[in-house]
Amino acid sequence: MKMIAKEELSLKERMARMRVVEGSYAVAHAVKCCSPDVISAYPITPQTHIVEHLSQFVADGELDSEFLTVDSEFSAMSSLVGASAAGARCYSSTTSQGLALMWEVLYNAAGMRLPIVMTVANRALSAPLNIWNDHQDSVGARDSGWIQLYAEDVQEAADAIPQAYKIAEDPEIRTPVMVCMDGFILTHVYEPVELLSVEEVERFLPPYRPEHILDPENPKTFGAFADPSYFTELRYMQWDAHRRALNKIETVAREFAEEFGRWYGGLIDTYRADDAEVMIVTMGSVIGTIKDCIDVMRSEGMKVGLVKIRSYRPFPTEALRKALKDAEVVAVIEKDVTVGNEGALLTDLKAALYNTPTRIPVIGFPAGLGGRDITVRDIRRVVDRAIAARDRGIEAEMEFLSLREDLL
Amino acid sequence: MEKLLAPGHRACAGCAMPTVINLVLEAAGPNTIVATPTGCSEVTTTPYPESAWRVPWINSLFENAAAVASGIESALKHFGKNHNVFVIAGDGSTLDIGMGCISGMFDRGHNVKYVCYDNEAYMNTGVQRSSSTPPCTSTTTTPSGKVSFGNPRPKKDMPAIAVAHRVPYVATASVAYPVDLRRKVRRAISIPGPAYIQVNAPCITGWSFEAGTTVEIARLAVETCLWPLYEYVNGELAGVKKIHVKRPVEDYLKAQGRYRHLFRMKGGEEMIRVLQQLADENARKFGLLYEGDVACTSGE
Amino acid sequence: MKITVAALTEPGSTVVNKTGGWRTFVPVVNHRRCIKCSLCEIYCPEGCIHQIDGLFVPDLDYCKGCGVCAHECPRKAIEMVLEEK
Ligand SMILES: Cc1ncc(C[n+]2csc(CCOP(=O)(O)OP(=O)(O)O)c2C)c(N)n1
Ligand code: SF4
Ligand code: SF4
Ligand code: SF4
Ligand SMILES: [Mg+2]
């Protein structure tokens, strides 16, 4: 995050607005400021605190929303399909097994072009059961048609909520948005956060006024089935909306920066990338560690930079091509692995660079799976491997980071 | 008067389901939003870019209509809007795959009126057994065969499940009793909170009966006491449709291809006797017969 | 036609689909026998029997010839007749 000077608010005033809160509280508070009409969610670690805080807001009369204590995540998302079609601004949050249980409804909500916003508190997927953070859950849902934004820190996870609504509800986009934040690492951490207010958010986010809703005065049919003569075009329209979202995500990020003075990048962000020879590409909270590490390596004279993926879907192909065109080697660190292939982001990134003049080695590192720490040593190892790949050619395209060989 | 389900839909000629839908909508009126899960009623009425529905309508998935309707009702409540919210769903989506969502919807007390048109199998996918399929019925996944009389299991008692959820209004109905069906829909609307109505809706394709006899088959189901008509208000049995002349179950069974094997296979009579016992038990349990009529109950 | 976002569809638009072509037998109403009980109109799965000037008339644009009306008519006022096309 960069703080941008805002005319009305001095930095001092802004520091005074800071409160030390739990990450889940910050997100719940941001949701409250967007005044959703219907909230529907189901408890699952490490997402639970978000809905508990929201329930408390409703119980205290601070938030006028219908809060549905549903019977499952599947019902949670299904009920929001109905509520959204009836014209409601809708919110849910989940993780891991809950997201997996929603799978069928995710595609449906996106295909029906319902601008639902959901926080995914990223967590590993069973088996084996594991409640800690990685990105396998949301990466597995990357083809569902949802826009996916990944947050680096608590402030970004919270600020991404009004941005997500603004993107999702735009008549040109009409696509649901997942805001992904690392489970425990961000949901349970206490950090100083600048909390939004309803009035500020209202200035930034227009009310939700969909063109068509379920309405006896204008009784449209939602969810007709399409045979082969129409299906392709309906998918194309979704695809095209994602293409438009490439601009929209950037615009909304800028508008947010103007209104609130905080900037996290648009589709991507970069760190010390200008003259970087080794580029690390990643997403989520590990970015904090990587930045610190880059600072140290820079002080040692190593030209290392970072590209943060903020929007994984739509995939920022052009932005990445531009950001990586002068790099000499790219290393992807990602908290997922496609069993049977390699990390999903690695595949996506290589594909993005393939039809371009950029001919550099790209290697990938599934890391932090099931909550394993990604340490400074790990990141140094990644950079060493990258330099070796540049200088001596690729030895292994993909390597599990900090794999405990002693256990195998 | 223009029906709220328009003609031009693709339901098989003689299907009871469109009639059920029109009777429900007639009673509910145009100020009604309908959620329908995947199944015959959905695929036959909404082939894009057409729709037979003249009320606002939504399909999301096969198993989530109750949750979708919960969301609609919550949004309307939030906006202070007053429309009826209905689910109109097949038995498979109701008694089987949608059970969790329905239980949740009942449990949360949404003001949603859930109508299941019961054709006693998964018709849209080609007549496979559902938990609403009666015993001894031949379906494509419980076919009768040299060593099988068809579906080995009893029909799941969904109305009882609804009553157990303290759903304030629960009823059975039949396409053959349109006045009764419309009255039950209106009564369901008049009682705040969830309602559940299960309507017998013969499927000519899956049950294979003679063209034109759809309604007669449904009437026979009632007259044999295999399909008792009753309503529960706040957990109490509040009314039954009495039967003047109780017909033997054979009259109902022999009219349908799905029971043909019972009349051909060795041991079929024993199975018919079992079904007759089910009917007799219904008659006793719900008090379907007039005093003094009991003597002529059995078909034997 | 232009495709609609999310396949949003107009109410009652199946009326463009004239299902009358499905028919083999056509219902013929003997209006003199009719007692105007309207059961045929209620039971018709197509909702295509209309009361026109007091007479119950099947709309042959949509009638699929299922025979339910004829079977249910208490006066046997409707006969299903093989249709010559
Ligand atoms: C999750 C899922 N599983 C299976 C199906 C396939 N499917 C579609 S409709 C249907 C059967 C519908 O049966 P029912 O609810 O009784 O309605 P009917 O077609 O009999 O009117 C099935 C199995 C599906 N669409 N979705
Ligand atoms: S298969 Fe059965 S339920 Fe489905 S449309 Fe045909 S008759 Fe109706
Ligand atoms: S069912 Fe027969 S008697 Fe009744 S209105 Fe129709 S044609 Fe007339
Ligand atoms: S034959 Fe069937 S479709 Fe035709 S009018 Fe009679 S009931 Fe309706
Ligand atoms: Mg069925």
Side-chain angles (χ1 to χ4, degrees):
Chain A
M1 173 183 72
K2 289 189 194 83
M3 291 288 227
I4 295 167
K6 260 197 83 192
E7 281 165 37
E8 310 96 82
L9 288 178
S10 72
L11 200 60
K12 215 170 118 205
E13 277 172 315
R14 290 177 54 177
M15 296 308 280
R17 283 163 50 118
M18 292 268 190
R19 280 185 49 202
V20 175
V21 295
E22 192 201 30
S24 295
Y25 181 89
V27 170
H29 190 276
V31 171
K32 182 180 84 168
C33 292
C34 297
S35 311
D37 303 301
V38 179
I39 300 170
S40 193
Y42 193 82
I44 178 168
T45 306
Q47 161 275 161
T48 313
H49 290 184
I50 297 176
V51 284
E52 287 175 354
H53 289 307
L54 284 168
S55 310
Q56 194 64 53
F57 291 145
V58 173
D60 291 339
E62 289 176 38
L63 171 59
D64 178 21
S65 297
E66 302 301 319
F67 187 99
L68 272 62
T69 50
V70 280
D71 43 282
S72 71
E73 288 87 353
F74 179 82
S75 274
M77 190 46 65
S78 296
S79 61
L80 294 187
V81 164
S84 184
R89 178 174 286 167
C90 294
Y91 177 79
S92 189
S93 64
T94 191
T95 175
S96 178
Q97 313 304 134
L99 187 69
L101 191 58
M102 279 182 191
W103 199 81
E104 192 188 9
V105 202
L106 293 178
Y107 278 72
N108 186 255
M112 291 181 80
R113 310 294 298 276
L114 299 170
I116 299 161
V117 169
M118 173 163 69
T119 300
V120 176
N122 289 109
R123 162 182 151 179
L125 269 170
S126 173
L129 185 66
N130 174 298
I131 59 167
W132 292 274
N133 164 247
D134 70 29
H135 290 169
Q136 198 72 54
D137 51 0
S138 55
V139 166
R142 68 167 187 188
D143 297 335
S144 62
W146 285 57
I147 290 170
Q148 290 193 340
L149 305 177
Y150 286 75
E152 173 184 344
D153 57 26
V154 169
Q155 185 79 59
E156 182 177 3
D159 288 350
I161 298 293
Q163 295 194 43
Y165 277 113
K166 198 165 188 176
I167 297 160
E169 292 171 1
D170 187 289
E172 293 290 303
I173 309 294
R174 288 177 58 175
T175 298
V177 179
M178 259 177 229
V179 177
C180 304
M181 70 189 290
D182 286 337
F184 287 118
I185 300 169
L186 297 183
T187 53
H188 284 53
V189 72
Y190 278 74
E191 264 182 17
V193 174
E194 208 176 315
L195 296 176
L196 302 162
S197 73
V198 176
E199 300 72 41
E200 286 171 327
V201 170
E202 275 175 2
R203 279 203 299 276
F204 169 76
L205 174 66
Y208 177 42
R209 299 248 186 279
E211 195 186 346
H212 295 294
I213 59 171
L214 290 166
D215 177 13
E217 290 293 314
N218 183 11
K220 299 269 187 201
T221 283
F222 288 64
F225 80 89
D227 71 12
S229 38
Y230 302 104
F231 189 87
T232 304
E233 287 65 32
L234 289 157
R235 266 293 173 278
Y236 171 83
M237 288 161 92
Q238 274 183 270
W239 179 87
D240 202 38
H242 264 254
R243 207 172 52 169
R244 284 192 293 275
L246 289 167
N247 283 328
K248 191 70 196 174
I249 292 166
E250 294 274 358
T251 315
V252 168
R254 272 197 302 277
E255 288 166 355
F256 188 89
E258 277 161 32
E259 183 65 38
F260 299 98
R262 292 189 291 276
W263 169 261
Y264 307 96
L267 296 163
I268 63 169
D269 200 11
T270 55
Y271 184 72
R272 305 193 76 163
D274 280 351
D275 61 341
E277 294 166 2
V278 179
M279 279 286 231
I280 298 173
V281 178
T282 194
M283 47 197 193
S285 66
V286 70
I287 285 166
T289 317
I290 297 177
K291 280 178 176 170
D292 292 345
C293 210
I294 287 177
D295 288 344
V296 175
M297 290 188 281
R298 282 280 180 174
S299 71
E300 294 164 3
M302 294 164 78
K303 291 190 168 176
V304 184
L306 168 83
V307 175
K308 151 182 165 174
I309 305 255
R310 187 163 170 267
S311 166
Y312 183 46
R313 284 295 180 276
F315 195 65
T317 301
E318 282 309 321
L320 285 168
R321 284 175 177 170
K322 227 165 97 192
L324 298 174
K325 73 177 181 348
D326 298 324
E328 294 171 6
V329 60
V330 178
V332 175
I333 300 176
E334 59 186 309
K335 294 184 176 180
D336 69 275
V337 64
T338 299
V339 178
N341 191 21
E342 58 191 14
L345 178 56
L346 175 63
T347 308
D348 284 342
L349 183 66
K350 285 192 294 187
L353 296 179
Y354 190 76
N355 285 329
T356 68
T358 309
R359 279 283 165 267
I360 50 172
V362 180
I363 55 176
F365 300 85
L369 302 185
R372 178 162 301 173
D373 280 345
I374 301 177
T375 63
V376 170
R377 236 205 4 241
D378 292 329
I379 291 159
R380 277 203 178 264
R381 182 185 175 89
V382 166
V383 173
D384 289 346
R385 296 280 185 199
I387 290 169
R390 176 193 64 183
D391 296 343
R392 298 192 294 275
I394 296 173
E395 207 175 292
E397 240 180 302
M398 188 200 95
E399 178 186 328
F400 278 78
L401 202 54
S402 68
L403 188 70
R404 290 184 56 188
E405 309 270 6
D406 57 314
L407 293 181
L408 296 169
Chain B
M1 200 187 72
E2 200 174 58
K3 303 270 184 187
L4 288 170
L5 188 77
H9 59 73
R10 277 75 160 167
C12 307
C15 176
M17 168 266 291
T19 304
V20 171
I21 293 173
N22 262 324
L23 288 167
V24 170
L25 292 180
E26 211 177 299
N31 185 28
T32 300
I33 298 172
V34 177
T36 294
T38 310
C40 274
S41 55
E42 170 257 346
V43 299
T44 60
T45 60
T46 60
Y48 184 79
E50 295 171 31
S51 169
W53 299 82
R54 290 183 170 127
V55 292
W57 181 92
I58 184 168
N59 165 260
S60 168
L61 297 166
F62 180 30
E63 64 278 44
N64 70 354
V68 171
S70 300
I72 296 168
E73 185 255 10
S74 301
L76 297 180
K77 192 162 125 205
H78 187 73
F79 297 136
K81 292 181 182 172
N82 197 11
H83 311 307
N84 303 318
V85 180
F86 270 71
V87 173
I88 300 180
D91 51 291
S93 60
T94 303
L95 283 79
D96 290 328
I97 201 165
M99 199 64 173
C101 290
I102 293 165
S103 176
M105 187 271 273
F106 286 164
D107 168 56
R108 293 185 300 274
H110 291 279
N111 191 18
V112 171
K113 313 304 171 189
Y114 195 112
V115 177
C116 169
Y117 66 92
D118 187 1
N119 52 29
E120 304 190 323
Y122 302 150
M123 295 314 178
N124 184 48
T125 39
V127 201
Q128 295 86 19
R129 175 199 182 264
S130 80
S131 58
S132 201
T133 303
C136 300
T137 306
S138 186
T139 71
T140 54
T141 50
T142 55
S144 61
K146 289 193 185 86
V147 295
S148 170
F149 289 106
N151 180 34
R153 298 290 304 156
K155 189 177 168 88
K156 191 188 280 184
D157 191 351
M158 186 66 192
I161 293 169
V163 170
H165 281 78
R166 298 175 197 280
V167 171
Y169 186 76
V170 176
T172 56
S174 164
V175 69
Y177 295 80
V179 177
D180 179 69
L181 170 53
R182 283 187 298 223
R183 180 185 63 77
K184 284 170 174 166
V185 170
R186 282 192 294 269
R187 190 158 187 199
I189 292 171
S190 75
I191 299 173
Y196 179 72
I197 305 177
Q198 191 164 322
V199 189
N200 187 240
C203 160
I204 187 163
T205 307
W207 299 13
S208 61
F209 44 78
E210 206 179 309
T213 62
T214 312
V215 175
E216 189 188 327
I217 296 286
R219 196 179 296 119
L220 277 169
V222 173
E223 289 175 349
T224 53
C225 297
L226 283 170
W227 189 273
L229 295 177
Y230 57 82
E231 52 195 325
Y232 279 86
V233 177
N234 295 322
E236 299 292 333
L237 188 61
V240 297
K241 179 120 204 129
K242 297 259 189 188
I243 307 300
H244 285 284
V245 181
K246 181 163 173 274
R247 310 263 301 253
V249 294
E250 282 95 333
D251 290 4
Y252 175 68
L253 303 175
K254 69 173 184 271
Q256 302 173 58
R258 62 177 176 159
Y259 296 115
R260 188 177 299 128
H261 58 285
L262 298 182
F263 299 92
R264 294 182 177 175
M265 285 171 69
K266 201 159 146 263
E269 330 76 65
E270 184 49 36
M271 292 299 131
I272 294 171
R273 236 189 322 278
V274 169
L275 292 168
Q276 185 62 57
Q277 276 163 11
L278 280 179
D280 294 348
E281 173 58 18
N282 281 337
R284 192 199 56 75
K285 181 174 168 198
F286 295 104
L288 298 177
L289 306 177
Y290 289 100
E291 301 279 334
D293 277 5
V294 193
C296 60
T297 57
S298 172
E300 287 151 40
Chain C
M1 132 198 191
K2 286 282 181 201
I3 206 156
T4 43
V5 179
L8 225 65
T9 309
E10 291 301 314
S13 46
T14 45
V15 292
V16 301
N17 183 46
K18 302 285 171 69
T19 48
W22 295 22
R23 198 170 50 234
T24 311
F25 293 90
V26 63
V28 178
V29 185
N30 180 345
H31 296 293
R32 271 174 314 175
R33 292 186 69 89
C34 172
I35 52 164
K36 306 196 193 324
C37 70
S38 78
L39 282 176
C40 54
E41 188 258 321
I42 290 170
Y43 286 131
C44 171
E46 313 312 310
C48 74
I49 298 186
H50 304 292
Q51 217 180 337
I52 301 170
D53 300 330
L55 303 178
F56 284 82
V57 185
D59 182 344
L60 297 185
D61 276 352
Y62 301 105
C63 168
K64 292 174 184 165
C66 70
V68 167
C69 54
H71 197 81
E72 289 306 314
C73 174
R75 295 280 297 150
K76 298 276 164 263
I78 306 177
E79 196 188 347
M80 298 305 293
V81 178
L82 188 66
E83 193 172 22
E84 312 218 346
K85 292 203 184 162

